[in-house]
Amino acid sequence: MNTKCMTGTVCSCGRPHGPASLPVVAAELGVRLNQAAEAFVVAEGQNLGHLEEEVVRQTQELQRRAVEAGAQAKADATPPCCPVCGQRLSRLTHGHERTFRSRFGPVTLRRTRGWCRRCKKWRFPADAVLGLEDSGGCSPSVQELAALLASKMPVEEAAKVLEHLTGVKLSAATLHRQARRQGERAQRVRRELDAQAVSGGCSEQLELSLEPYQMILELDAWNIRERDEWGQSQAMRRRGEEPQRWHWVWTGTVFRLDHRGRTAGGRPVISQRGFVATRQGVEALREQLHAEAMRRGLGQAAGVLVIGDGAVWLWRLAEDRWPGARQRLDYWHAVEHLAAVGRARFGEDREGLAAWLEPLKRQLKNESAVKVIRKLEEVLGELAEGSAERQTVVREVAYFREHQGRMDYRRAQRLKEPLGSGAVEATCAQYQCRFKRTGQFWSPAGDEALLCLDTFWRNERWHVLFPHTRHAHLSKN
């Protein structure tokens, strides 16, 4: 080990390292900040933004040196033990240099390498301590910035925003690889957290409630475009096969009924809720949403309500995963089916349709589905056998009979429960802002990685992926 670096003097590379260099950096930092402030006072045509930019420019190199010195000191103090099994390493060699991108510029470190007899691998203990293993040459802070920006905007735009805001220069390809790497890691962390939640080992602090509460689960799905069979479209069509570019993203949200309220302006709001979105199928949604519900207090809930549209998969999932839960069909989906009957009866007569539909909507919402079904059966009797209009009404009457038990809207209003699945539909729309931009195509691995990152952010668990942001998380809460 380089003892000169440990004492804070100058090593063979000619740069100061270690704790002794930090006071020097701090003193120079104070001088430069004072100079920038004095120059700003007498400058004409400059506002506070000019001073902020000048402070960043004057201090960035000093911040880089401080980060490099502190990181080197920690690397020098790291014991030569395997970060995986703890075995003391053998065949030690020192001074292995590697340069990493940091928020303040390139940081070069010299590390010790050793052989782990148990793992049969070469190890750099300092890399593990500093969060630089499998880093793609980026510090944890740069890894986080790449992951967050790529999950919110296209990588070409993200690379430009990153450089503008922080000065960190990453090519779009590098930023994409970094975000993909972090997304894959996020999926591994998600599996661990979900297993803990289901087994009762959830580490999150649940809000204690002395009053019984209802848990609300809403489910839906939306399409994402992928590059499957890319370049084979014409050949597939010649074989009589139509390429399938659009695929389902299965989405859910979960919240407690007592976390639902209104702002001072009267806008509906949910103060706390969890999110799930996955391309891995209904089974993945089933397990991920159940784990999220457990983290949100499902195990202590007095009752569970599942809300969704009329999709068969949704109700099958609910009956399988939450067999004791009540089920409710989204009220506005039911209204759409009422309107389909009205159009079959009135055709282009919009005034007649509106006069017929409005009383039925009020009756469905405030009375019972039974009365509405009787009205639909009356319409059925007015239509000619074998006509397309009659077939439409037959289908819609069957729909209302099938979902009759899920149309308890009068009870919903009495208990101040949601009438529909607006919360999850809004969630789907928010995810789509990133994933359905013009010209974008995805792969199953790529979209799942970014979906997972975005979901960690929405669930306020970003600090779990990037522990260095924990202080910001705690101060926000």
Side-chain angles (χ1 to χ4, degrees):
M1 186 175 295
N2 191 332
T3 55
K4 291 185 179 181
C5 287
M6 292 182 65
T7 59
T9 58
V10 178
C11 74
S12 58
C13 71
R15 295 180 182 175
H17 297 289
S21 65
L22 292 178
V24 176
V25 172
E28 188 175 348
L29 180 63
V31 171
R32 292 199 181 185
L33 290 175
N34 187 59
Q35 290 174 344
E38 290 178 348
F40 171 71
V41 170
V42 298
E44 294 184 3
Q46 291 190 0
N47 59 28
L48 184 59
H50 292 86
L51 176 59
E52 292 172 307
E53 290 295 324
E54 182 63 16
V55 166
V56 170
R57 191 181 69 82
Q58 289 288 346
T59 62
Q60 183 158 346
E61 171 59 18
L62 295 174
Q63 292 178 82
R64 188 201 67 77
R65 284 167 51 189
V67 168
E68 187 173 67
Q72 186 63 60
K74 185 147 189 168
D76 293 338
T78 301
C81 297
C82 176
V84 175
C85 69
Q87 176 83 25
R88 189 167 184 83
L89 301 176
S90 62
R91 299 157 64 182
L92 299 178
T93 54
H94 310 292
H96 293 272
E97 279 198 1
R98 188 176 180 186
T99 300
F100 298 88
R101 294 183 179 93
S102 78
R103 291 190 65 168
F104 311 109
V107 168
T108 300
L109 301 176
R110 286 151 309 287
R111 307 106 72 228
T112 295
R113 186 183 76 163
W115 176 256
C116 179
R117 297 188 183 93
R118 183 175 297 170
C119 298
K120 307 298 183 185
K121 288 187 177 181
W122 290 101
R123 303 290 192 190
F124 288 90
D127 286 3
V129 170
L130 294 171
L132 297 174
E133 284 187 314
D134 190 28
S135 65
C138 295
S139 72
S141 184
V142 175
Q143 295 171 37
E144 181 219 351
L145 289 170
L148 181 57
L149 286 173
S151 70
K152 300 300 181 185
M153 63 184 71
V155 291
E156 292 83 1
E157 185 179 354
K160 295 176 182 178
V161 171
L162 177 64
E163 182 177 357
H164 177 76
L165 293 180
T166 68
V168 175
K169 296 182 180 181
L170 294 181
S171 69
T174 300
L175 191 146
H176 176 268
R177 286 193 299 271
Q178 191 60 249
R180 177 78 169 266
R181 180 183 290 108
Q182 299 307 318
E184 291 169 352
R185 182 170 69 88
Q187 292 176 67
R188 295 192 295 270
V189 174
R190 180 179 64 188
R191 287 192 292 270
E192 295 171 2
L193 294 178
D194 288 354
Q196 292 173 8
V198 173
S199 66
C202 178
S203 60
E204 292 190 23
Q205 183 66 43
L206 295 175
E207 177 186 341
L208 297 178
S209 177
L210 300 178
E211 298 294 330
Y213 58 84
Q214 297 290 317
M215 184 66 69
I216 313 296
L217 295 100
E218 299 185 8
L219 296 83
D220 206 346
W222 51 279
N223 283 135
I224 194 169
R225 187 165 57 169
E226 294 177 352
R227 289 183 181 269
D228 47 344
E229 306 293 342
W230 191 249
Q232 303 299 316
S233 300
Q234 293 184 4
M236 292 179 68
R237 290 190 175 105
R238 284 195 295 267
R239 296 194 303 266
E241 303 172 9
E242 186 63 27
Q244 298 297 316
R245 298 283 183 243
W246 293 93
H247 302 276
W248 291 112
V249 177
W250 312 95
T251 308
T253 188
V254 54
F255 55 92
R256 284 169 38 171
L257 184 60
D258 58 342
H259 289 158
R260 185 169 174 263
R262 293 184 178 273
T263 64
R267 182 173 61 86
V269 66
I270 302 171
S271 61
Q272 300 178 41
R273 64 179 173 128
F275 304 89
V276 168
T278 181
R279 259 288 289 125
Q280 296 176 341
V282 175
E283 280 299 308
L285 174 67
R286 172 184 181 271
E287 298 310 318
Q288 291 175 31
L289 186 57
H290 180 68
E292 186 62 33
M294 291 296 292
R295 281 189 286 266
R296 300 280 171 174
L298 178 64
Q300 292 78 44
V304 181
L305 172 63
V306 178
I307 309 177
D309 58 25
V312 174
W313 68 265
L314 190 155
W315 307 118
R316 287 178 177 172
L317 186 155
E319 290 165 1
D320 178 44
R321 179 73 270 187
W322 308 287
R326 291 184 292 121
Q327 299 178 4
R328 178 169 299 139
L329 177 72
D330 177 87
Y331 169 73
W332 288 273
H333 277 82
V335 169
E336 289 177 4
H337 286 268
L338 276 179
V341 175
R343 286 191 294 270
R345 179 183 179 186
F346 293 95
E348 298 299 321
D349 181 3
R350 295 187 178 182
E351 291 184 1
L353 171 60
W356 176 85
L357 183 59
E358 289 303 318
L360 284 182
K361 288 167 58 177
R362 290 193 295 270
Q363 194 170 51
L364 179 65
K365 186 175 183 180
N366 301 316
E367 297 180 38
S368 74
V370 175
K371 296 179 180 180
V372 173
I373 292 173
R374 288 176 185 159
K375 294 286 187 181
L376 301 184
E377 289 172 340
E378 291 176 6
V379 174
L380 188 60
E382 299 171 1
L383 300 174
E385 290 286 346
S387 65
E389 292 79 9
R390 182 179 176 85
Q391 291 175 9
T392 297
V393 178
V394 166
R395 183 174 61 249
E396 299 302 341
V397 168
Y399 178 89
F400 272 84
R401 286 173 178 166
E402 178 186 356
H403 294 293
Q404 179 180 333
R406 301 185 179 109
M407 298 181 179
D408 55 341
Y409 306 120
R410 182 169 61 178
R411 178 184 183 183
Q413 293 179 90
R414 186 177 71 251
L415 299 177
K416 297 183 179 180
E417 295 174 346
L419 292 178
S421 55
V424 73
E425 291 177 10
T427 297
C428 292
Q430 291 165 12
Y431 276 107
Q432 290 177 71
C433 288
R434 172 64 180 98
F435 291 91
K436 293 182 75 170
R437 296 192 181 196
T438 302
Q440 289 195 133
F441 288 83
W442 301 87
S443 67
D447 53 31
E448 186 68 18
L450 287 192
L451 280 168
C452 191
L453 284 173
D454 198 12
T455 303
F456 264 88
W457 177 264
R458 292 175 185 276
N459 285 327
E460 298 186 352
R461 295 193 190 96
W462 197 248
H463 63 286
V464 177
L465 290 178
F466 302 100
H468 62 273
T469 66
R470 187 176 298 275
H471 177 73
H473 170 75
L474 294 175
S475 63
K476 185 169 60 176
N477 291 280

